[in-house]
Amino acid sequence: MANTLHANQDSKHLVAVNALRVVILPDSVGYLAQGVEIDYFAAGTSETEAMDSFQKGFALTVAAHLKKFGNLVRFLKSRPSVLEQFSDQKEFWEFSQVSFHELPLENSKVSFPYDCITFARPKLTQFPAHLA
Amino acid sequence: VKRPPKPSSGAHHLEDLILALVDARINVQKVSTGAYKFETDEAGPLVMFLPPMVGGQLVQQLMEHFGADEESFLPFLIALSKKRQH
């Protein structure tokens, strides 16, 4: 599934095709970075730590799946259920900030359906109580 | 797979979370400083960098990812409840 994202940053117009979207959510002790297309997630006491943990852990998880199964079938088929509660909230899917990052899969010889990671912060200001 | 319960939104110690995952028969292995590999045959491996304190949303995500049921996590939830009472 192609996910095209557009963002303006420093007068530059950025477009990412086949971006793996990651939503930054508030958590009780910091932030949770949750993949939209893939059920991978990471936590951190700051947004930066959550994003950094996502990138590093994501790469190690891909490597672990390749070592054990020789493919990413199980990893790629999983979908995050935590985002279901926002499926009908339009404001959640409008992002206030989007940042682009390279996929940390330098030595991977397998075909990967995403060409970059985008970390996005929803415009939504009122999150469910268990997230806030 | 039963849907896991909603955990408390409070802060949880990483050690408690890992013990609960072991009790739920999820294989846990420390791979480097702050990084842990969680694994079941069904879900496969999941490598994560975790801070010493984790939030309720992360706990819920881990439980859902591995299909850990309420019974498996009951001791963990009871322990958290007792901690909050003190």
Side-chain angles (χ1 to χ4, degrees):
Chain A
M1 179 175 64
N3 298 292
T4 305
L5 281 176
H6 300 259
N8 292 307
Q9 190 173 46
D10 301 329
S11 301
K12 294 178 182 176
H13 185 63
L14 303 173
V15 179
V17 180
N18 291 329
L20 173 62
R21 295 175 296 173
V22 181
V23 178
I24 305 295
L25 299 166
D27 197 11
S28 53
V29 292
Y31 293 89
L32 186 79
Q34 170 68 61
V36 176
E37 287 81 16
I38 295 177
D39 189 15
Y40 184 80
F41 45 93
T45 53
S46 66
E47 288 187 344
T48 302
E49 185 181 77
M51 291 190 291
D52 187 53
S53 293
F54 188 101
Q55 285 184 281
K56 290 192 293 189
F58 183 84
L60 289 171
T61 300
V62 167
H65 274 257
L66 291 176
K67 183 178 180 182
K68 180 161 186 173
F69 302 115
N71 60 58
L72 299 172
V73 172
R74 290 170 188 244
F75 189 43
L76 294 177
K77 77 176 183 182
S78 60
R79 301 301 296 272
S81 58
V82 69
L83 299 178
E84 289 176 1
Q85 60 191 302
F86 302 111
S87 59
D88 58 350
Q89 295 190 46
K90 185 181 175 185
E91 194 179 7
F92 180 83
W93 299 102
E94 294 175 352
F95 303 120
S96 59
Q97 288 186 40
V98 178
S99 58
F100 294 80
H101 301 259
E102 289 185 5
L103 271 171
L105 305 175
E106 298 169 5
N107 298 319
S108 176
K109 294 179 180 177
V110 298
S111 173
F112 200 72
Y114 305 100
D115 53 18
C116 73
I117 294 177
T118 60
F119 290 101
R121 297 161 187 80
K123 285 183 178 176
L124 198 66
T125 54
Q126 293 292 322
F127 285 91
H130 67 279
L131 290 179
Chain B
V1 175
K2 286 189 290 185
R3 189 171 179 82
K6 296 282 185 187
S8 160
S9 62
H12 306 159
H13 286 281
L14 178 60
E15 292 84 357
D16 293 334
L17 172 63
I18 288 175
L19 286 174
L21 290 165
V22 171
D23 286 345
R25 297 184 179 181
I26 295 169
N27 185 28
V28 180
Q29 179 186 356
K30 187 171 185 176
V31 294
S32 66
T33 303
Y36 299 84
K37 182 168 75 172
F38 307 103
E39 187 167 12
T40 62
D41 289 339
E42 293 76 20
L46 180 76
V47 183
M48 302 183 74
F49 287 82
L50 295 174
M53 298 292 286
V54 297
Q57 187 66 11
L58 177 67
V59 175
Q60 182 182 339
Q61 282 300 86
L62 276 167
M63 292 166 68
E64 290 189 359
H65 182 89
F66 289 112
D69 59 28
E70 187 172 355
E71 188 175 338
S72 301
F73 262 74
L74 203 54
F76 177 55
L77 298 176
I78 291 172
L80 287 176
S81 175
K82 286 181 177 176
K83 276 188 178 181
R84 282 195 299 273
Q85 290 171 7
H86 291 94

